[in-house]
Amino acid sequence: MDNAVVLANSPASGQVVGFATRLQAMPMKSKLSALIGIAALAGVVYAMTLWSSQGDFKVLYANLADKDGGAVIGQLSQMNVPYRMSEGGTAILVPAAQVHDLRLKMATAGLPKGTVNGYELMDNARFGQTQFQERLTFQRGLEGELTRSIGSLAAVQSARVHLALPNQNGFFREQQKPSASVLLGLHPGRTLDRAQIAGIVHLVSSSVPEMNPKAVSVLDQSGALLTGGDTSSPNAGLDAQQLQYINQIEQGYVKRIVELIAPVVGPANLRASVTADVDFSQTEATSEEFKPNQGAEASVAIRSQQTTDQGAGGGAGALPSGVPGAASNQPPLAATAPVTGASQPLQGAPSGSAGPGAGGRREAVTNYEVDKTVRVTRNASGNVKKLNAAVVVNNRSVTDAKGKTTQVPLTADEMEKITALVRESVGFNKDRGDSVKVVNAPFKVEPIVNVDVPFWKSPELIDLVRAAALPAGLAVVALLVFFGLLRPAMKTLMMAPPTTSRDGRTLDAVVDDAQTLENLPALPAPAYVKQIENAKLLARSNPAAVAGIVHSWVSGEA
């Protein structure tokens, strides 16, 4: 069947075809490519706009409870503030420029409330509650305040405090002492030293009246008891202040050694360590001394004196007898004892009658003070019982004439001088058992290798690449979309209008199309139509020749 070519009416030659006509004439594949490209490009533009508007995000709150986290997110939603959750939902991120402002606003709103309640429990006291309820509320508030204080430590992630406050009665001897238990949850990789543990114990014991620090137990999240310590240690049983005092003494001696020996051998060629054995025991002695209060030089102090006189008549209370008057009131004469012969009888006052019982007796008792000395001796605590000092000195560096540096050990004379200086600096005392050891040994120096980091591995470049990765990726995607989808579609759209005939009519039918257009006037066939017919006739009669011609055209042969 002969191929039919049918012409249809078309605009005049040179007339511009409309955009809708061009779009309608595009193939379906090009239309789909254009639509997909426009949608992808719009998505890229939206992603870049969203990324530029969000900016840098920083942590607003971290490690919040679920209840507090929900309340904070709800408040942020009401304030129309963008937020994000970190990996695992442990932190709430907000734009960096609004972090401080949002924290102030959250604090004004009372967020986060926290799961630990302190003395604010006392604000909600109900009318008519019993004394037991008041005491229990106070105990809960005190536990909450202690939990907050302990939780503010850097190494503590969470804390719980349990107080045992017994009821007090009127009998002092039967009153029980309060006690406390503290459970600590530490951050991963963090530990508490003895000073921090002692601080926690002191904080709890000082917050509760009549609580002994020994009644406070501190445990970690693994159940290990942190208080008590190792009794085998020489410093076991010492409190934080005593340990700090020992540390200060040791550091002071080390500083003395370094300041004295470093100018001689160099700061980098000296290592020193001092261990001090400090006695913190306290002793008190009381002594009383009695001395006789006699002698010519001793000052006589009379405590009491008593005198008793017995007159004539043999009675203890006999009165002088005789004629009243001056003669009977005279005291008796002093008795004299001759060297030889009998002693004279005692002379008494004249009396009216004389007899064997006419004599008298006189007694005098004098009590003197006795010297007494009371001496109280109290020894000071914190005395150094023993010092052990160890010093290591590096070899001396010697440079020869060729510039080669070698390490040479110190001489015996130099070591003796350094040892003497160390002994004098620490106050060496042989009687108390002090020990000073100075050793000369070469120090091992690790060679410093300067590693040249390539430019593409520098931290500045890595940070810059990370910051520009997202916008650069979006730009690449936009270019791929444009050149892969939009540009071919635009080329198809901007192509020339369909081929027209010389008389201004478009080809509205293709070869081997059986469709015919009615009511068209007959037109004379152009000259090239006859040439096409001849070519078709040649192709039918001699297909091999036509195939050779086409092959030469395709292969580019002349």
Side-chain angles (χ1 to χ4, degrees):
M1 180 182 67
D2 295 339
N3 294 329
V5 178
V6 183
L7 299 179
N9 293 327
S10 63
S13 178
Q15 186 177 357
V16 179
V17 182
F19 177 78
T21 306
R22 293 174 180 269
L23 184 61
Q24 187 177 2
M26 288 177 58
M28 184 58 64
K29 182 179 180 180
S30 300
K31 293 180 180 179
L32 292 177
S33 299
L35 293 177
I36 295 174
I38 293 173
L41 189 60
V44 170
V45 172
Y46 175 76
M48 294 184 67
T49 305
L50 184 63
W51 174 81
S52 60
S53 62
Q54 288 181 353
D56 188 16
F57 275 69
K58 289 188 177 181
V59 177
L60 178 64
Y61 294 111
N63 299 324
L64 290 179
D66 296 339
K67 183 177 180 180
D68 290 337
V72 171
I73 290 176
Q75 187 70 18
L76 292 176
S77 300
Q78 293 180 1
M79 298 168 61
N80 295 326
V81 176
Y83 64 89
R84 291 188 303 184
M85 303 296 295
S86 64
E87 296 182 1
T90 58
I92 300 177
L93 306 179
V94 295
Q98 304 181 18
V99 171
H100 302 289
D101 187 19
L102 290 176
R103 285 179 181 174
L104 295 177
K105 292 181 179 179
M106 291 296 172
T108 304
L111 295 175
K113 296 181 179 179
T115 56
V116 179
N117 295 321
Y119 283 135
E120 60 267 14
L121 292 174
M122 306 296 294
D123 299 336
N124 300 325
R126 295 174 298 175
F127 179 77
Q129 62 181 0
T130 62
Q131 184 179 2
F132 172 77
Q133 292 175 344
E134 292 180 354
R135 184 167 55 85
L136 184 61
T137 303
F138 173 76
Q139 179 176 345
R140 289 178 56 195
L142 182 58
E143 291 176 351
E145 294 295 333
L146 290 174
T147 300
R148 290 176 178 175
S149 300
I150 297 174
S152 62
L153 299 178
V156 178
Q157 184 177 8
S158 61
R160 293 193 67 182
V161 179
H162 302 278
L163 299 178
L165 305 179
N167 294 328
Q168 303 297 334
N169 49 29
F171 301 95
F172 181 78
R173 295 181 179 179
E174 297 180 359
Q175 290 182 358
Q176 299 179 0
K177 299 297 181 180
S179 60
S181 299
V182 181
L183 178 61
L184 301 178
L186 304 179
H187 288 285
R190 298 288 188 89
T191 57
L192 295 176
D193 55 13
R194 293 181 60 88
Q196 291 174 322
I197 297 173
I200 294 175
V201 172
H202 184 72
L203 172 65
V204 177
S205 61
S206 301
S207 302
V208 181
E210 302 295 333
M211 178 176 286
N212 192 343
K214 296 182 179 179
V216 179
S217 301
V218 182
L219 293 84
D220 60 3
Q221 65 269 25
S222 62
L225 183 63
L226 302 180
T227 54
D230 186 9
T231 57
S232 62
S233 175
N235 294 330
L238 302 181
D239 56 11
Q241 295 181 353
Q242 294 173 347
L243 293 174
Q244 184 179 5
Y245 177 72
I246 295 176
N247 189 22
Q248 290 178 355
I249 291 178
E250 295 176 350
Q251 294 298 328
Y253 283 121
V254 172
K255 184 178 180 181
R256 293 180 185 178
I257 295 174
V258 172
E259 290 180 351
L260 188 62
I261 309 300
V264 179
V265 299
N269 299 324
L270 176 67
R271 298 293 183 272
S273 176
V274 177
T275 302
D277 186 6
V278 183
D279 183 14
F280 290 99
S281 61
Q282 294 182 354
T283 58
E284 182 177 347
T286 304
S287 62
E288 295 184 2
E289 297 180 359
F290 297 91
K291 294 183 179 180
N293 193 354
Q294 296 178 0
E297 298 179 358
S299 59
V300 179
I302 299 176
R303 176 186 295 178
S304 62
Q305 186 176 10
Q306 182 180 1
T307 303
T308 303
D309 292 332
Q310 292 182 356
L319 297 176
S321 59
V323 179
S328 61
N329 292 331
Q330 296 295 328
L333 299 176
T336 59
V339 178
T340 59
S343 60
Q344 296 180 359
L346 296 174
Q347 298 294 328
S351 58
S353 63
R361 185 178 64 179
R362 183 180 183 182
E363 296 180 356
V365 178
T366 303
N367 297 323
Y368 296 94
E369 293 287 352
V370 179
D371 289 347
K372 177 181 179 182
T373 303
V374 179
R375 182 177 291 105
V376 179
T377 304
R378 181 177 301 169
N379 295 333
S381 63
N383 296 326
V384 179
K385 296 172 57 178
K386 184 179 179 181
L387 283 178
N388 296 323
V391 180
V392 180
V393 182
N394 191 16
N395 291 342
R396 183 175 61 253
S397 299
V398 178
T399 304
D400 55 10
K402 296 181 180 180
K404 183 179 180 180
T405 303
T406 58
Q407 299 292 332
V408 178
L410 300 179
T411 62
D413 188 20
E414 293 175 340
M415 292 296 298
E416 183 63 27
K417 292 180 180 179
I418 294 176
T419 303
L421 290 176
V422 173
R423 289 179 178 177
E424 293 298 328
S425 63
V426 299
F428 179 79
N429 189 354
K430 185 178 180 181
D431 296 335
R432 66 183 182 185
D434 293 352
S435 174
V436 174
K437 188 67 175 179
V438 180
V439 178
N440 176 218
F443 286 5
K444 183 179 180 181
V445 180
E446 297 292 339
I448 300 176
V449 180
N450 295 326
V451 180
D452 294 334
V453 180
F455 174 74
W456 56 275
K457 287 186 178 181
S458 61
E460 296 80 5
L461 182 61
I462 293 176
D463 294 340
L464 181 61
V465 170
R466 288 179 179 177
L470 182 59
L474 294 177
V476 170
V477 172
L479 292 176
L480 293 176
V481 169
F482 178 77
F483 288 101
L485 298 177
L486 294 181
R487 191 166 180 269
M490 293 176 62
K491 283 185 175 181
T492 306
L493 183 62
M494 299 304 296
M495 287 178 60
T499 307
T500 57
S501 60
R502 294 181 179 179
D503 57 355
R505 300 193 181 192
T506 61
L507 294 175
D508 200 14
V510 295
V511 179
D512 296 335
D513 190 1
Q515 180 181 3
T516 57
L517 300 179
E518 302 294 339
N519 302 325
L520 289 177
L523 296 176
Y528 66 88
V529 175
K530 185 176 180 180
Q531 297 176 357
I532 292 175
E533 291 296 335
N534 293 333
K536 289 180 180 180
L537 182 61
L538 178 61
R540 293 190 187 97
S541 61
N542 193 358
V546 175
I549 295 173
V550 173
H551 182 270
S552 62
W553 290 349
V554 173
S555 60
E557 297 178 359

